[in-house]
Amino acid sequence: MPVAQASAEDEKAIAIAIAKQNACLGCHAINKKIVGPSFQAIAEKYKGDANAQAFLKNKIAKGGSGSWGVVPMPANTKLNDADLSTLTSWILRGAPNKN
């Protein structure tokens, strides 16, 4: 397996683990709306936005409402910057979960 592919696979597995450990999957799914939008819908909304990763990292860390409706997203203050970067990078790629 090429190193770049292994790296992407590792990042995907880590991102999914972060999402599971921090209850993200209680409100978000990869490809369908639950309480919050799907990760794929988030990727589509912010496609081409150079500020998307910084915006999403802030939104995940601090929570809030208004981007997708009135239901507030709770703050995830336990996530460090590296985990936020891994998670948001994966989400912005459309949250791939298969090869």
Side-chain angles (χ1 to χ4, degrees):
M1 177 181 303
V3 174
Q5 186 176 353
S7 171
E9 289 299 309
D10 291 345
E11 185 180 66
K12 175 180 73 177
I14 293 167
I16 292 170
I18 293 167
K20 287 179 179 177
Q21 291 167 358
N22 291 281
C24 303
L25 300 175
C27 294
H28 300 278
I30 290 172
N31 61 359
K32 65 181 178 181
K33 178 177 173 40
I34 299 180
V35 174
S38 73
F39 293 136
Q40 291 175 347
I42 295 168
E44 184 62 30
K45 179 175 182 171
Y46 295 103
K47 185 179 0 179
D49 181 343
N51 298 314
Q53 187 164 23
F55 174 79
L56 291 176
K57 285 170 66 173
N58 184 60
K59 186 66 126 176
I60 293 167
K62 295 183 178 176
S65 63
S67 295
W68 294 88
V70 296
V71 178
M73 185 172 94
N76 289 279
T77 57
K78 294 178 184 174
L79 287 170
N80 63 40
D81 190 64
D83 286 349
L84 286 167
S85 292
T86 299
L87 187 60
T88 55
S89 176
W90 175 70
I91 291 168
L92 290 169
R93 286 194 323 273
N97 65 343
K98 296 182 179 163
N99 293 341

